[in-house]
Amino acid sequence: MPEALVIPGLVAIDPHRWEGRGQAEIVRGPLAGKATRFELSDTKDERWLVPREVAARRGLRLPDQHPALAEYPRLRARLAEAALVRVDEAGRRAGATADAAIGLGYHRGVGGGNLEVALDGWTRGFSAESAGLCRQVVGDSDDEDAAWSCSVNVVYDRVLRALTDGRYSLYDVDLAEFAARVAEPEFAAFEAELAEIEAMAAERLPLAESLLAALAAATGDTAALPGGYAARRVEEPGFTLRSGGDVTVIGAPIAVPASARWFVADVEGFTPPSRKARRGQAIARQQAAARRSATTPWLLAGGSLLALVLALAARC
């Protein structure tokens, strides 16, 4: 069974399993190994993002401008690659999303969401329940399982790419989410992880380059790639989103071009030691916070009881 292959900025073959294995998509491009397709279907809220240049123009502090990042050059460089910046509610009220913004919402309980893109003086997008959205994506397919295999994350990603002419994707959203979430106590751990991945990538770069060359030369739906990776191509037909049923489209119908993705069936998860250590530290912090929150009510109750005793003693 082949190992995961992660060369940041070039290619990533990683099933994203914690010390496990599974199917992995072959992701190529500048965000490969740096971000994943944002798992929108796991959320139940709304987020607003603006292009990096808009955030700078609006006076928002960019994530890589945190003063403590001076000691962590790899992490600062990674955050500087975020093409989108998440805007909080205070920023929205201050007008940070007035010029241009991407609004993305989903509620896993309801099974539906919305995507709104306001760029270059126009606004387009859609809101839909997932079932109705997938029916439009699948169309008149003869594949009875097509609707069931429809991935909400992939559909939103393809629509976002179509609306922005390929400028932005859910990979950009994922990196923006990470940039907004990472906190100073985690900087050192992430810097160590990025350094370790960089060293691992340098050793496996020749394999990655030969694999990409073989993939580019592949003409069929399967390919035996260097490193023991047996790849399978999945064709995704184009579709057009229109208002109707469970789907409401903002503006003109949205034409989404056909695409293709490559997968490897069985790959070991990518878990470098520094990542395991960082996750262990994060779990320890969460457990400590949970213990503190569980102890606080008892401390408050004890303090109240002591105050009552002192008050009664003062009366005696």
Side-chain angles (χ1 to χ4, degrees), residues 86 143 165 201 217 246 254:
R86 183 166 181 176
D143 184 355
D165 293 326
D246 298 329
I254 303 170

Side-chain angles (χ1 to χ4, degrees), residues 270-290:
F270 185 66
T271 52
S274 55
R275 180 170 295 180
K276 294 180 183 180
R278 175 180 60 77
R279 288 177 174 173
Q281 294 167 7
I283 292 171
R285 284 195 299 269
Q286 292 171 356
Q287 290 173 338

Side-chain angles (χ1 to χ4, degrees), residues 83-102:
L84 296 174
V85 176
R86 183 166 181 176
V87 179
D88 60 17
E89 190 57 35
R92 286 200 67 201
R93 289 197 297 269
T97 57
D99 291 343
I102 295 173

Side-chain angles (χ1 to χ4, degrees), residues 96-123:
T97 57
D99 291 343
I102 295 173
L104 191 60
Y106 193 82
H107 198 296
R108 62 175 181 262
V110 176
N114 60 279
L115 170 63
E116 181 179 317
V117 178
L119 297 173
D120 305 323
W122 51 261
T123 300

Side-chain angles (χ1 to χ4, degrees), residues 193-283:
E193 181 177 327
L194 292 175
E196 183 178 30
I197 293 173
E198 183 179 295
M200 296 169 66
E203 295 178 358
R204 307 195 74 192
L205 180 59
L207 170 61
E209 291 175 337
S210 62
L211 181 147
L212 289 176
L215 196 62
T219 56
D221 292 333
T222 61
L225 304 177
Y229 300 94
R232 173 179 58 89
R233 176 162 40 200
V234 174
E235 300 287 346
E236 298 172 326
F239 61 91
T240 300
L241 284 185
R242 296 181 172 85
S243 290
D246 298 329
V247 179
T248 300
V249 172
I250 303 170
I254 303 170
V256 178
S259 62
R261 294 187 292 152
W262 285 92
F263 293 88
V264 178
D266 205 14
V267 181
E268 290 283 357
F270 185 66
T271 52
S274 55
R275 180 170 295 180
K276 294 180 183 180
R278 175 180 60 77
R279 288 177 174 173
Q281 294 167 7
I283 292 171

Side-chain angles (χ1 to χ4, degrees), residues 37-41 43 45 102-107 111-117 125-131 133-134 137 150-164 168-171 173 239 241 246-248 254 256:
R37 184 182 293 107
F38 181 63
E39 289 289 335
L40 184 66
S41 56
T43 66
D45 56 6
I102 295 173
L104 191 60
Y106 193 82
H107 198 296
N114 60 279
L115 170 63
E116 181 179 317
V117 178
F126 71 90
S127 61
E129 292 185 7
S130 298
L133 180 65
C134 285
V137 172
C150 172
S151 166
V152 170
N153 300 316
V154 172
V155 173
Y156 275 70
D157 183 46
R158 293 179 65 192
V159 175
L160 178 56
R161 290 173 190 265
L163 288 176
T164 61
Y168 305 116
S169 69
L170 287 192
Y171 288 84
V173 174
F239 61 91
L241 284 185
D246 298 329
V247 179
T248 300
I254 303 170
V256 178

